[in-house]
Amino acid sequence: MTESQFVDEAVSRRKFEREVAQYRQLEDTYRRRGWFLLEATFPTVVVLFSALKIPARPLVCAVRLDFTNYDLVPPSVTFVDPGTGNALPMKNLGFQMLRLNGVVDASPETVTALAQQQRLSVQHLLQAHGPDDIPFLCLPGVREYHDHPAHTGDSWLLHRRSGEGSLHFILEQIWASAINPIQMINYQIQMTFSGFLPNLAALPR
């Protein structure tokens, strides 16, 4: 749900248009990664992600970023149904956003070996209190992260000039942690879609 605009709208609009223009400059590169810009009308950007490593080219998710009051506050991030635009509850996402802990600079072979030995520490970047709740992206530079009571000591103002709240940064994190690691589609025996399987060696760390 969009909050009311209390920052001078002309300022937020100018910064929003700069973010979109920077995306447009790299749009061909993003398309080859499976990113498709569906909407860019202030204050909203909607991007669709496809998993291009899989021959079927499945549409994995769509994400809506709300730049209201940007950049005094960071963008809000919501995963939505690409057809209706409705926010999706945790149980309907079908994918995970993961980050590996403690394996910086490890080779893919090392990561695979650790995964086989069940010795990997994985951080879940999508958080929700229950399967029926709308998840939030637990990442600095995202409005829901900085608004959460557990992160009161990590003010957005500490990150504001770092680039972490930019359109590119947020989309890059979603792609690297959720889309790029997907290696196959996971079906249950009854052929009910149950989500995508990530390649842990491809996760950021």
Side-chain angles (χ1 to χ4, degrees), residues 7-8 22 26 37-38 48 56 65 99 102 107 109 113 126-127 129 138 158 178 200:
V7 173
D8 183 342
Q22 290 173 348
L26 294 170
L37 183 62
L38 301 184
L48 181 68
L65 294 91
R99 176 171 290 171
S107 67
E109 293 77 17
L126 284 175
Q127 299 289 323
H129 294 294
C138 188
L158 299 173
L200 296 179

Side-chain angles (χ1 to χ4, degrees), residues 98-147:
L98 306 173
R99 176 171 290 171
L100 296 178
N101 295 324
V103 289
V104 177
D105 297 329
S107 67
E109 293 77 17
T110 298
V111 172
T112 300
L114 290 172
Q116 292 170 345
Q117 299 166 22
Q118 298 183 340
R119 292 171 54 195
L120 286 176
S121 173
V122 179
Q123 176 186 358
H124 291 264
L125 298 180
L126 284 175
Q127 299 289 323
H129 294 294
D132 295 315
D133 291 333
I134 304 300
F136 77 93
L137 181 52
C138 188
L139 192 73
V142 172
R143 187 183 307 168
E144 288 76 12
Y145 169 91
H146 293 287
D147 286 349

Side-chain angles (χ1 to χ4, degrees), residues 34-52:
W35 310 9
F36 301 94
L37 183 62
L38 301 184
E39 178 184 343
T41 305
F42 180 81
T44 302
V45 172
V46 178
V47 175
L48 181 68
F49 287 95
S50 176
L52 299 186

Side-chain angles (χ1 to χ4, degrees), residues 53 98-100 103 106-109 111-112 115 120 172-183 197-205:
K53 290 182 179 179
L98 306 173
R99 176 171 290 171
L100 296 178
V103 289
S107 67
E109 293 77 17
V111 172
T112 300
L120 286 176
E172 179 75 24
Q173 302 311 303
I174 294 170
W175 178 79
S177 298
I179 312 302
N180 187 49
I182 291 173
Q183 61 182 356
L197 293 178
N199 175 8
L200 296 179
L203 291 174
R205 42 195 182 271

Side-chain angles (χ1 to χ4, degrees), residues 2-15:
T2 302
E3 64 179 60
S4 60
Q5 180 77 33
F6 54 79
V7 173
D8 183 342
E9 185 173 315
V11 173
S12 287
R13 278 183 177 273
R14 187 165 60 249
K15 293 183 177 182

Side-chain angles (χ1 to χ4, degrees), residues 7 11-12 15-16 19 67-75 165-166:
V7 173
V11 173
S12 287
K15 293 183 177 182
F16 172 86
E19 294 290 331
F67 284 85
T68 301
N69 296 312
Y70 187 70
D71 65 348
L72 185 61
V73 297
S166 69

